[in-house]
Amino acid sequence: MMSTSTRLLRLVSLLSARPSWTAGELAGRMEVTERTVRRDIARLRDLGYGVESEPGPWGGYRLGHGTRLPPISLDDEEALAVAVGLREAAFGGALGGDQAALSALLKLRQVLPRRIADRLGEMDTAFVRLPGNAERQVGARVLFDLATACRAAERVRLTYRDGAGRTTVREIDPYRLVHTGRRWYLVARDVTRGAWRTFRADRVVTTTGTGARAEYGGDPPDPAGLVSRNTALRGYPCTATVRLPLPMEAALRIVPPSVGTHREDGPDATVVEVGGMDADGLARYLLTLGTPLRVLAPDAVREALVRRARELSALNEPPDPA
C-alpha cells in the first residue's frame, strides 16, 4: 500500500498528464477507492493545488491554477531542465539585475538527488559561453559558494586576485551579490579594515567558511548603490553631475548603473553622476546620450559641452545661397 505522501505525488503526476480524469479512472490507476481519491483531492487543494471539478456524469477533475505555489513533483529530466534553465538565466542576466534565478537555482541544487546534481556538474564543465567581449566569466562553483555564504550570513576567508594579478587572503562578512548585466559583484564588509567593499566575483579564487557569524555593524549599505558608485566613478579623475528630464526607469536605460549613479529629482527627472578621463571626453559622451540634459557641475564639462554643440551646429548650417 502506498503512503499518503506517495499517493499524493502520484495523483499530481496523473492530473498533469492529461486535461481531465474521472474519479473512477483515477481510482483505477492508483488502485484505491473513489472515496480515497476525493479525500486526496481535498488534501491537494489544502496544499495549494488548484484542482477543479467538472460536474455531470462524465465530469471529473482537472489541474487548474493554484492559490499559492505548491510543492512540485519533477522527474529526473524535468529537474535537470529546470536547473539548466535557471543557470542560464542567472549567468546571462535574462531576468535583469535581481538574484531571483540564482536564489532559485541555489535552493534547487540543495535538494537535487545526487544523480541529477552530478549530471548538472558535468554540464557545468562542458558548457562554454561565447562572451560578447574578452572579459573573464565567473565560475559556477564560485558563484554558488558566494551565494551560499550570503544566505547563511557566515564569515568567510576569501582568496582574491586584484586587477594587477596580486593575490590576497581576506576575512569578509558577505552580504549580497549584485549583477550589473556584465559582471557579478560581491558586496561584503572587510573585517580587517572595518569597511564595506565590492569584489568582482570573477576574481575570487576560493572561499572558505570560518564558522563565525557575519557582523554587519549597523545598517548595511544599499548593495546596488555601492556597486554602482564603485564601478562607475572609481578611478576617474573627472566626474560630471547632470540632470536628465526623465524618470528613473528611463534614465537607467540611457545611462546604465555600471556607468553612472542615479537619484530621483522629482517624479519626472533624474540626477546622474558619471566619470571620465577629462571634461572634453565627458562632453563627447553626454552628446551621445541623445536626450536633453543640463550639466549641473563642473563648469569645465558644461563649457566643453556647449563648445562641442556649437561646433556641431556650425558644421551643419546650410550653405549661403549663391
Side-chain angles (χ1 to χ4, degrees), residues 244-257 262 269-272:
L244 305 180
L246 300 169
M248 176 72 79
E249 183 177 353
L252 284 168
R253 288 196 295 267
I254 293 176
V255 183
H262 304 67
T270 306
V271 173
V272 181

Side-chain angles (χ1 to χ4, degrees), residues 72-87 102-124 141 144:
I72 301 175
S73 175
L74 302 174
D75 62 26
D76 287 8
E77 296 302 318
E78 291 169 337
L80 186 62
V82 171
V84 171
L86 288 172
R87 181 190 186 279
L102 179 60
S103 179
L105 178 57
L106 185 64
K107 293 177 182 178
L108 181 60
R109 289 189 74 137
Q110 289 174 334
V111 299
L112 284 176
R114 173 56 58 186
R115 61 184 182 277
I116 306 177
D118 288 345
R119 289 181 64 186
L120 185 60
E122 293 169 359
M123 296 181 77
D124 285 343
R141 185 68 266 164
F144 295 142

Side-chain angles (χ1 to χ4, degrees), residues 239-244 263-265 269-273 286 293-303 305:
T239 60
T241 305
V242 300
R243 184 180 187 271
L244 305 180
R263 62 177 173 85
E264 290 183 336
D265 188 21
T270 306
V271 173
V272 181
E273 190 173 5
L286 294 176
L293 57 88
R294 179 186 174 192
V295 178
L296 303 180
D299 291 340
V301 174
R302 185 186 305 111
E303 293 165 359
L305 182 66

